[in-house]
Every structure is written in C-alpha cells, then in structure tokens.
Amino acid sequence: MSTFSEQFRKHFSQPPAAFARAPGRVEFIGNHTDYNGGAVLGAAINRTVTVAAAPAPAGQFNLRSMGGSVPVELALLPGGRLTGEAAWANYPLGVWRALGDFGLPRPAGFNLLVDSDLPAGAGLSSSAALELATALALLKLADGTITPDRLAALGRHAENTYVGVPCGILDQGTSAHGETGQLVHIDCRGPVFARVPLPADTHLWIFNTREKHALVDGLYATRHRECMTAAKVLGVKLLADLTPAQFAAKSVRLDPVIAKRAQHVIEEHARVGETVAALGRDDLVAVGRLLTASHRSSQHLFENSTPTLDRLVDLLTAHPAVLGARLTGGGFGGAVMALTRGTFVAGDAHAIAAQTRAHPEIIHLQTADGAKVIL
Ligand code: GLA
C-alpha cells in the first residue's frame, strides 16, 4: 500500500483520501445465461483491482494506472466515449456518471490511481473489478454508502450505458457478493444472489491463453443479438423462460445458427441447476462432467471457443485429477478454468501447458471476499 500511496502523492501532490478493492471473478458455470434471464455460478478470486482516490476541483478528472495504461487528464467531460489508448478511462468515468444516474453522492471532480494484479482480457472481469472499486472509492469521498446489490447494478449500468457492452450481471454481481470458500449463485432475472459452498477439497486453476479475438466486444454483442432474436421468434421474453423440452418442440421455427445459440443458453441454464444439485450432494464427478459439457456446448453450439481453449480442455480432461474444464467468461479467447482434486499440482499444470503452443499463464486461484472499502 505504501508505494501505491507514494505514487498517488507523486502524481497528484496530495494524499489519497479513499481506497477500495474489488476482486475479479471466475465464471464457474453459466455461460451467456445472465442476460438471457438464466442462472449462473461464479466465484470472486484473489486477484483484484485497487483504486485510490482524492477529491479534485469540480469538473476535473485525472486518472492514472500503475500498469501500462496512458494517463487521462480531463478539464471537461467529453460528450461521448473516449477512444484509443484513453478508452480504459470510460470505466471509471462511466461509474462517476452512473452514481449521478442512481442519485448517489459523488465528488465534483477526482484524482484516481488504479493498481491491479488481474490480467486484462483473460475473461476474469478486470472491467467489473475496476467499476466496483471505483464506485466504492468515489462514494467514500462523498460520504456515501451502497449495498452489494445496488453496487452490482450500478457497475452493470455503467458498463451497459457508458462503455457500451450489453453484459449481464454475472461479473459485477460476483465481485460484489463474493465470499471466501463460496460460489455466488445468481438468478439473473431478479437478480437474486445466494451462496453455495465450493467443496473444500477442490481447486480452481486458470490457463490464460492471452489470446483475444480482435472483435471480441462486437462478437459478444452479436451473440446477445442472436439470443434476443431467438427469444422473439420463440415467443418468450428471455430464453431462460423455456425448458430444454419446450425448446426442442419449437426450435424448427429458428434459423439453424440461431437455434444453436438458443440451445446452448437454455441447456446451460439447466446445467447450472444440475450443478447446484450435484454440489449439494457432494457429487464432484457430476459437477466436473457438467463443467466439461458446458465447454463442449460453447465449442459446438455457441461457437465462442477457440482452438487453443479446446485443446486445453482436451488435455485437462484427460488428466485423472481434473474433474472438469471449460472456458470461463465471454469467450472468443481468454482463459480455461479447471476444477481439480488436491492431487493436481503445479507440475501437472505446466506439463499440460507445455503441450500447447500458446504458453498460457497458469494461475492457481483461491476464492476471495467481495468488493470493499479498505480505508
Ligand atoms: C462476460 C459478461 C457477462 C457474461 C459472460 C458470459 O463476462 O460480462 O455478463 O455474459 O461474459 O457468461
């Protein structure tokens, strides 16, 4: 913290007045179910974004990052979104705007410094973590408070409205509601948040391919559109309104590609329910099977996987200590998550990674608590 504070003083010639930290998340299962009104299981992880902030004169917004991002200094807020290298600042500036939309107190201007050990573009939600840590720090500057439910909604609103990504509530909801040792269950229609214990003798590993499709945001929006089209043709508000059996009876109405997208979402929603049930009876083999089935559905139906992610899942699921493996997050690159028994060790992870050309970054994750003000 001290170097972080020193850096803050160096850049802004004043001490920080608020610190907040928010975790990234792993999508345990429930791929693209959230914006379709379905269920999802996530976990907050011990990789975080930390934000330090202090008030600045009204209308002045100065944003810096300890990582490689370019500093952004604004004496006037732009009407639209920032582009190019400054685009990262849309997240904290979007949060400041969202605080106004939610009728919450906010500073008239601010200096902000970001630190992160969460790889960007890995599908671990560095964006949501930045949104939530910023919201808590800015609220602290203005003596405001917020519940985890509202915090999640505010982060999502900032991303939908001011960044322009039509994401659901998974990332922000998990970062807000995370708890060590627990999975966060979200019934996205409410949304209603609950917790489900992660079995103590299991482990989460991430294989971050560092690959990211150049059009990833556009592809996410395309999938979102395809799902909304399917719901409309099938006569429901959202795809999770249909059971797999109801869908099977109606799916001929759909264009074949749209039908594959819808089948993925509807069966994935069902898989989340089955996973909760399997966790409840401590049936780890069934949990693992469901995770891998989720990946195969992404691979063949939703088509948001990549050959590298598929190869990693193939290699991982051939290992006896791996219960299941799947892509985690939006897809089109990013990372594979594996759920393993305790007998799976770093040497196993490296041996598997070495069999791909991707040189993935390996992270043995721990679950963690949700976003909070730390000073
Ligand atoms: C991204 C989005 C989430 C969710 C996942 C896919 O992480 O931000 O809202 O849609 O993709 O499940």
Side-chain angles (χ1 to χ4, degrees):
M1 189 77 79
S2 75
T3 17
F4 191 41
S5 295
E6 282 160 22
Q7 287 295 318
F8 193 98
R9 279 170 195 268
K10 190 177 134 222
H11 291 308
F12 301 121
S13 309
Q14 69 180 147
F19 284 95
R21 179 170 291 152
R25 65 97 189 93
V26 70
E27 176 193 280
F28 189 77
I29 191 166
N31 188 251
H32 289 257
T33 49
D34 59 357
Y35 57 83
N36 288 297
V40 63
L41 279 170
I45 58 175
N46 61 336
R47 293 294 190 107
T48 57
V49 171
T50 307
V51 163
Q60 288 189 25
F61 303 93
N62 303 308
L63 306 105
R64 288 185 165 261
S65 151
M66 302 274 278
S69 312
V70 294
V72 175
E73 296 182 357
L74 300 168
L76 189 69
L77 268 197
R81 288 177 196 126
L82 298 168
T83 55
E85 289 194 319
W88 74 272
N90 289 322
Y91 293 93
L93 291 171
V95 164
W96 183 81
R97 291 178 144 123
L99 287 167
D101 296 345
F102 275 49
L104 290 163
R106 58 183 186 177
F110 59 79
N111 294 325
L112 188 123
L113 182 63
V114 179
D115 195 12
S116 171
D117 64 355
L118 194 52
L124 297 176
S125 283
S126 55
S127 318
L130 176 57
E131 289 155 9
L132 270 57
T134 301
L136 289 176
L138 296 184
L139 270 168
K140 174 83 197 296
L141 292 185
D143 291 327
T145 57
I146 193 168
T147 63
D149 283 30
R150 290 276 284 164
L151 178 64
L154 183 132
R156 182 187 179 193
H157 172 73
E159 184 144 349
N160 289 169
T161 312
Y162 300 113
V163 182
V165 178
C167 66
I169 195 71
L170 162 66
D171 307 346
Q172 295 83 4
T174 308
S175 184
H177 280 275
E179 187 182 321
T180 305
Q182 302 284 320
L183 296 169
V184 178
H185 179 271
I186 312 176
D187 174 348
C188 299
R189 185 164 306 256
V192 178
F193 301 93
R195 296 197 178 108
V196 178
L198 182 69
D201 46 352
T202 57
H203 292 255
L204 294 170
W205 293 79
I206 285 292
F207 296 77
N208 172 21
T209 64
R210 300 192 185 88
E211 291 173 2
K212 191 177 170 190
H213 197 291
L215 301 173
V216 65
D217 287 349
L219 287 164
Y220 185 91
T222 303
R223 289 295 179 276
H224 185 280
R225 219 171 23 249
E226 289 169 341
C227 292
M228 297 308 144
T229 301
K232 203 166 169 201
V233 175
L234 296 171
V236 289
K237 186 152 179 274
L238 292 168
L239 284 176
D241 288 339
L242 293 170
T243 63
Q246 288 167 332
F247 171 72
K250 294 183 177 195
S251 64
V252 283
R253 293 189 206 166
L254 295 173
D255 159 275
V257 170
I258 303 287
K260 289 204 288 182
R261 310 297 187 242
Q263 186 186 343
H264 168 79
V265 169
I266 292 164
E267 292 179 353
E268 183 76 353
H269 171 57
R271 269 190 290 273
V272 176
E274 289 169 43
T275 304
V276 173
L279 286 165
R281 52 175 202 273
D282 220 14
D283 186 348
L284 296 182
V285 173
V287 172
R289 198 173 26 76
L290 287 156
L291 297 180
T292 307
S294 164
H295 183 82
R296 297 304 175 204
S297 178
S298 279
Q299 183 178 351
H300 300 297
L301 297 176
F302 211 65
E303 296 179 282
N304 60 336
S305 186
T306 66
T308 311
L309 297 173
D310 297 341
R311 170 101 177 114
L312 278 164
V313 169
D314 292 347
L315 291 165
L316 282 159
T317 51
H319 192 287
V322 173
L323 292 157
R326 61 183 295 276
L327 74 79
T328 185
F332 309 109
V336 161
M337 177 205 86
L339 179 73
T340 74
R341 298 187 190 276
T343 47
F344 187 86
V345 294
D348 298 307
H350 286 282
I352 285 171
Q355 293 176 65
T356 72
R357 276 192 294 268
H359 306 293
E361 174 190 13
I362 297 165
I363 310 173
H364 183 185
L365 286 180
Q366 309 296 322
T367 54
D369 289 346
K372 55 176 170 282
V373 173
I374 47 180
L375 212 69

